[in-house]
């Protein structure tokens, strides 16, 4: 089992709708969780991190963490075409960040 | 968040030559630097981890004599691709470790260096 798993997509979402990105991880010892956005040809940009069970909101983004289920998600409200990118889920295990392969998100105008 | 710079952003070199990529943490000190490589439409691949003042640890399959990493200070790390070949053409990205104000561990990336070997 891969340490961090994401559906590669593409996930197509109409403009204005909620995009839901999911990620599971295998190591229960993982301490913190990150979502990065990567546009084609650019380096990843950290958009959210979460440590505790529950929801964390920042603008149109909400990260959700469920440690019992080893599941972390990212919701993007009011999706915009500029949100079209690859979203990388990552977990921190002993100060080493393990990345998933990313989900390609396509917002349909 | 943390500010990370990389130089150059883009470089074209001839096969057999060496290329040095610099990574700087501009507003914080980084004890650890991670170097990644990403081929087109592929995942990020961790190449090596370096700690300031000590030798880098390379991931399996990454040649330490080909990819020389120097982390001589807390704000500067360099990656030198020696005797570059076309298959080394890739996007190289550095990422220093960063501890936020609340003690949270975060990781930010440099803007990357696009290397093309002809």
């Amino acid at each position: 089992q891969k340490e961090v798993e994401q559906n590669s997509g593409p996930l197509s979402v109409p403009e204005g709708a909620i995009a839901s990105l999911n990620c599971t991880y295998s190591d229960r010892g993982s301490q913190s969780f990150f979502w990065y956005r990567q546009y084609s040809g650019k380096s990843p940009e950290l958009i959210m991190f979460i440590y505790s069970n529950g929801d964390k909101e920042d603008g149109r983004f909400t990260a959700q963490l469920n440690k019992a289920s080893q599941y972390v998600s990212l919701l993007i409200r009011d999706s915009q075409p500029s949100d079209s990118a690859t979203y990388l889920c990552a977990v921190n295990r002993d100060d080493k960040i393990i990345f998933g392969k990313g989900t390609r998100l396509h917002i349909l105008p | 968040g943390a500010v990370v710079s990389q130089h150059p952003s883009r470089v074209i070199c001839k096969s057999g030559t060496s290329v040095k990529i610099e990574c700087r943490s501009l507003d914080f000190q980084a004890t650890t630097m991670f170097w990644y490589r990403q081929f087109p439409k592929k995942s990020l691949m961790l190449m090596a981890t370096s700690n300031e003042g000590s030798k880098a640890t390379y991931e399996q399959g990454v040649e330490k004599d080909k990819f020389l990493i120097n982390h001589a200070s807390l704000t500067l790390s360099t990656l030198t691709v020696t005797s570059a070949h076309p298959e080394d053409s890739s996007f190289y990205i550095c990422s220093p470790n960063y501890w936020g104000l609340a003690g949270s561990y975060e990781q930010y990336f440099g803007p990357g260096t696009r290397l093309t070997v002809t």
Side-chain angles (χ1 to χ4, degrees):
Chain A
Q1 182 188 7
K2 294 191 176 99
E3 289 204 57
V4 181
E5 294 211 55
Q6 296 180 254
N7 188 316
S8 62
L11 174 66
S12 295
V13 174
E15 183 176 356
I18 296 174
S20 178
L21 301 157
N22 304 314
C23 173
T24 58
Y25 60 95
S26 60
D27 189 345
R28 288 192 176 274
S30 300
Q31 295 125 345
S32 50
F33 307 85
F34 305 85
W35 282 100
Y36 291 83
R37 177 177 61 198
Q38 186 175 24
Y39 292 113
S40 181
K42 302 293 185 182
S43 70
E45 173 193 6
L46 180 63
I47 52 174
M48 290 283 287
F49 59 88
I50 187 168
Y51 292 84
S52 305
N53 274 328
D55 295 359
K56 179 182 179 183
E57 187 174 319
D58 184 0
R60 294 187 297 112
F61 298 100
T62 299
Q64 299 175 315
L65 174 61
N66 183 325
K67 289 187 178 180
S69 302
Q70 296 174 243
Y71 177 91
V72 58
S73 65
L74 179 70
L75 302 178
I76 307 175
R77 287 182 299 282
D78 188 23
S79 297
Q80 303 295 309
S82 59
D83 294 327
S84 297
T86 296
Y87 289 80
L88 302 171
C89 172
V91 304
N92 174 15
R93 177 171 50 80
D94 300 328
D95 295 343
K96 185 171 181 178
I97 305 293
I98 312 296
F99 288 89
K101 292 188 180 300
T103 298
R104 282 183 296 132
L105 175 65
H106 182 46
I107 305 301
L108 304 169
Chain B
V3 181
V4 184
S5 72
Q6 261 184 261
H7 178 80
S9 59
R10 193 176 288 267
V11 58
I12 300 172
C13 71
K14 291 188 176 179
S15 190
T17 60
S18 295
V19 173
K20 180 186 279 189
I21 301 169
E22 289 188 352
C23 177
R24 294 179 186 274
S25 54
L26 298 184
D27 56 353
F28 67 101
Q29 294 182 326
T31 54
T32 302
M33 183 70 72
F34 301 93
W35 284 95
Y36 293 85
R37 179 169 54 182
Q38 189 174 36
F39 293 105
K41 299 191 187 301
K42 298 294 185 183
S43 306
L44 278 172
M45 288 176 49
L46 179 64
M47 298 175 65
T49 303
S50 71
N51 293 304
E52 185 261 339
S54 60
K55 289 184 179 179
T57 302
Y58 291 80
E59 296 297 306
Q60 193 172 9
V62 179
E63 300 174 56
K64 62 180 175 66
D65 295 327
K66 182 172 182 58
F67 298 99
L68 303 179
I69 292 173
N70 185 292
H71 192 171
S73 81
L74 292 173
T75 58
L76 172 64
S77 177
T78 60
L79 167 67
T80 301
V81 183
T82 63
S83 187
H85 290 285
E87 57 265 30
D88 298 324
S89 299
S90 189
F91 192 44
Y92 292 86
I93 316 172
C94 66
S95 179
N97 68 330
Y98 174 77
W99 292 93
L101 291 175
S104 57
Y105 181 81
E106 299 161 29
Q107 194 166 329
Y108 294 87
F109 287 88
T113 297
R114 173 99 33 216
L115 171 63
T116 303
V117 184
T118 60

